[in-house]
Amino acid sequence: MGKVAVAFAAVAVVAACSVAAVMVDRRMKSRRKWRTVVEILKELEDDCDTPVGRLRQVVDAMAVEMHAGLASEGGSKLKMLLTFVDDLPTGREKGTYYALHLGGTYFRILRVLLGGQRSYLDVQDVERHPIPSHLMNSTSEVLFNFLAFSLERFIEKEENGSNSQGVRRELAFTFSFPVKHTSISSGVLIKWTKGFEISEMVGQDIAECLQGALNRRGLDMHVGALVNDTVGALSLGYYHDPDTVVAVVFGTGSNACYLERTDAIIKCQGLLTTSGSMVVNMEWGNFWSSHLPRTSYDIDLDAESSNANDMGFEKMISGMYLGDIVRRVILRMSQESDIFGPISPVLSEPYILRTNSVSAMHEDDTPELQEVARILKDLGVSDVPVKVRKLVVKICDVVTRRAGRLAAAGIAGILKKIGRDGSGGITSGRSRSEIQMQKRTVVAVEGGLYMNYTMFREYMEEALVEILGEEVSQYVVVKAMEDGSSIGSALLVASLQS
């Protein structure tokens, strides 16, 4: 019996050792897998790093590209388009005006009532609708017939409650895509961005397309201005504060405009305006520099996009793309480890993760990151531990921090070009004493990414102070312009009538 007991004991010891060995092996494999995702995260952090020295290199590159784009057509990745807006609203405008805004994700219609002084601006009946996806690759006729029909319904509601029948209405068309203007109320489409692909419209006059659709529906409405969204935001900013000289939009896409001296627009020698200046639409989404911190995820996203080798800056900082960069990082981690469980086929779908979901995960303050868990479940990733949810939040933070800081560098680049960054600009020739007389400068900012994503906004504003320094940054004011592109465009139409 003693020998049997010893034998059983020996077997038990062997079994226990085997179980222990399996557990140790599993623990070792788990650690290796976790080490793999930590290495992927560290690589992402290194590749997205934006120290202030690097940001200042981006600032310099932006200013140089702006100068080159003003010097000659095709001389820069920045188109630096003339808008023919040389006088901005003064506050003395009167009357009722309309705006239609076609953006990247939504279209808006609104009516503005002006009373002849800055304090009297009444924005009425704002309608905001998602753009039906089928319109983005339909035809010119289908798109503009839809917009005209939407305007008709808007006006019908107005007429039901007023005596406005038979009145000709002035309309501003806010068009958030690159246009080569021939006047303030006309211009041809250069190319589509933000996922639109109606090739037949390239080269067509956008205002004529809309006016034709309005006429076909019998609407007595005149397209009085064709306005880029950034120019609309600048217009509203200037209406409230004449120190506004720059406007930037961070939404589905991203762009900027600013007020430039006409004598600095070398490619249009002899250009004369009563004000001595003109608003320039930069189309900064296409900016590129070797100093931009590009990752393998950016390279793959660009290669697989419908506009490869184009809009490189926009693809790093705008709402259309940030979610997909995060998705690509999560997908790689799930392919190289099993911390997310079996690989979800949903994670392989481009743009399935929207930037508003990234914002929700990034800013999740629930005890166990339940919002992160919910969004991951929508992506086919279920039951991940809190440790993994925190990892996802960190990915969102790295990608968004880079975007916000690069956005700040873009703004600082504009300020440098016009001598508002404390350095005097790249070609100003100003004396040191003049440089020290820093002017108050207002930057109008609009777009869902900036308005709704708190961490993006904070990273951008924090980096702007870092780049400019405490002394100069106190003179630079960033102001949010909700619906600024639409309201401001209506103000521009009004200023043409006054």
Side-chain angles (χ1 to χ4, degrees):
M1 291 295 294
K3 291 182 179 180
V4 172
V6 170
F8 273 120
V11 170
V13 170
V14 170
C17 289
S18 298
V19 170
V22 169
M23 292 178 65
V24 169
D25 184 56
R26 285 179 179 172
R27 210 172 285 129
M28 292 294 289
K29 285 181 179 178
S30 176
R31 286 175 182 170
R32 283 196 295 270
K33 288 170 183 175
W34 185 253
R35 192 180 305 125
T36 297
V37 298
V38 169
E39 287 170 357
I40 292 172
L41 177 63
K42 180 66 167 61
E43 177 189 277
L44 178 70
E45 289 179 306
D46 291 344
D47 291 347
C48 288
D49 194 27
T50 49
V52 69
R54 186 172 205 168
L55 292 178
R56 287 183 177 138
Q57 290 175 318
V58 174
V59 169
D60 292 342
M62 179 69 80
V64 168
E65 286 294 311
M66 290 173 68
H67 185 67
L70 292 172
S72 63
E73 291 290 352
S76 166
K77 295 282 275 185
L78 299 177
K79 294 191 180 297
M80 306 301 285
L81 300 169
L82 302 188
T83 64
F84 293 88
V85 175
D86 56 336
D87 282 308
L88 291 163
T90 61
R92 295 189 294 271
E93 294 79 14
K94 292 182 179 181
T96 302
Y97 301 90
Y98 300 79
L100 166 66
H101 180 188
L102 181 65
T105 307
Y106 294 90
F107 72 95
R108 299 181 190 85
I109 305 172
L110 56 80
R111 183 173 67 249
V112 174
L113 181 61
L114 303 172
Q117 52 188 346
R118 280 193 167 91
S119 60
Y120 194 98
L121 191 166
D122 185 12
V123 182
Q124 303 175 330
D125 301 331
V126 180
E127 289 190 1
R128 184 174 183 262
H129 304 285
I131 299 169
S133 57
H134 72 274
L135 292 179
M136 299 174 75
N137 57 4
S138 59
T139 66
S140 170
E141 185 176 359
V142 169
L143 174 63
F144 285 100
N145 282 348
F146 172 81
L147 295 175
F149 173 69
S150 300
L151 278 165
E152 184 177 39
R153 287 191 307 173
F154 183 86
I155 290 168
E156 285 173 352
K157 292 178 186 176
E158 175 190 41
E159 289 177 341
N160 287 337
S162 70
N163 297 316
S164 59
Q165 290 183 340
V167 177
R168 190 189 195 205
R169 297 167 173 84
E170 287 292 323
L171 172 71
F173 185 20
T174 312
F175 189 71
S176 305
F177 305 90
V179 167
K180 185 176 178 62
H181 278 264
T182 51
S183 73
I184 194 172
S185 60
S186 61
V188 299
L189 176 65
I190 297 173
K191 65 179 180 181
W192 286 109
T193 56
K194 307 180 186 78
F196 275 78
E197 296 181 49
I198 308 175
S199 58
E200 69 182 62
M201 278 186 60
V202 174
Q204 288 192 40
D205 188 305
I206 300 303
E208 282 185 7
C209 290
L210 179 58
Q211 188 67 64
L214 295 173
N215 294 344
R216 287 192 296 273
R217 298 205 71 86
L219 291 177
D220 193 7
M221 182 171 267
H222 174 243
V223 182
L226 178 63
V227 185
N228 184 266
D229 53 351
T230 60
V231 180
L234 179 64
S235 174
L236 181 61
Y238 189 89
Y239 182 87
H240 288 301
D241 190 333
D243 286 336
T244 306
V245 293
V246 178
V248 190
V249 171
F250 299 108
T252 304
S254 183
N255 190 19
C257 74
Y258 72 105
L259 202 58
E260 179 62 275
R261 302 186 330 270
T262 49
D263 62 358
I265 308 174
I266 301 168
K267 63 184 177 183
C268 294
Q269 289 184 344
L271 182 68
L272 297 175
T273 64
T274 54
S275 64
S277 59
M278 182 177 285
V279 179
V280 173
N281 169 16
M282 292 173 60
E283 288 299 330
W284 85 351
N286 205 39
F287 169 68
W288 189 253
S289 165
S290 60
H291 300 300
L292 291 173
R294 202 180 195 199
T295 70
S296 60
Y297 310 103
D298 299 305
I299 294 169
D300 290 343
L301 183 152
D302 179 61
E304 296 167 20
S305 68
S306 60
N307 56 345
N309 300 314
D310 200 14
M311 308 302 287
F313 191 51
E314 181 173 271
K315 287 172 181 173
M316 288 187 173
I317 66 171
S318 77
M320 181 170 180
Y321 301 102
L322 298 187
D324 205 55
I325 296 170
V326 171
R327 176 193 68 83
R328 289 170 183 273
V329 179
I330 295 172
L331 177 60
R332 181 184 165 193
M333 287 181 172
S334 69
Q335 289 170 335
E336 297 189 18
S337 78
D338 63 358
I339 66 163
F340 292 100
I343 299 174
S344 167
V346 180
L347 275 175
S348 296
E349 295 181 32
Y351 304 104
I352 192 67
L353 179 60
R354 307 293 292 269
T355 298
N356 58 355
S357 294
V358 170
S359 170
M361 292 192 293
H362 192 183
E363 298 172 356
D364 185 0
D365 59 0
T366 57
E368 295 191 346
L369 301 175
Q370 288 100 323
E371 186 65 10
V372 176
R374 184 191 66 79
I375 292 169
L376 288 176
K377 188 175 181 180
D378 290 343
L379 297 173
V381 179
S382 301
D383 302 323
V384 293
V386 173
K387 178 179 174 182
V388 175
R389 296 175 204 174
K390 289 180 178 178
L391 176 72
V392 171
V393 172
K394 182 61 178 177
I395 296 167
C396 296
D397 183 70
V398 173
V399 172
T400 302
R401 185 174 188 271
R402 180 187 67 165
R405 290 174 69 79
L406 289 178
I411 293 171
I414 301 173
L415 299 181
K416 184 178 182 69
K417 168 65 182 68
I418 61 177
R420 300 289 187 103
D421 71 327
S423 70
I426 59 174
T427 56
S428 67
R430 299 196 300 168
S431 68
R432 186 171 184 82
S433 61
E434 288 176 310
I435 292 171
Q436 290 172 346
M437 294 174 63
Q438 183 72 26
K439 293 180 181 178
R440 180 176 180 272
T441 301
V442 177
V443 179
V445 184
E446 194 202 17
L449 182 64
Y450 179 82
M451 303 294 287
N452 302 324
Y453 197 163
T454 303
M455 292 304 298
F456 172 87
R457 183 168 66 248
E458 290 180 357
Y459 278 138
M460 189 199 86
E461 293 173 356
E462 174 189 83
L464 193 57
V465 173
E466 277 186 53
I467 295 165
L468 298 175
E470 293 285 348
E471 186 176 345
V472 173
S473 62
Q474 65 183 317
Y475 294 98
V476 177
V477 181
V478 177
K479 285 190 176 182
M481 296 287 144
E482 188 167 4
D483 279 329
S485 52
S486 307
I487 300 168
S489 297
L491 291 173
L492 277 176
V493 166
S495 70
L496 296 174
Q497 313 304 312
S498 59

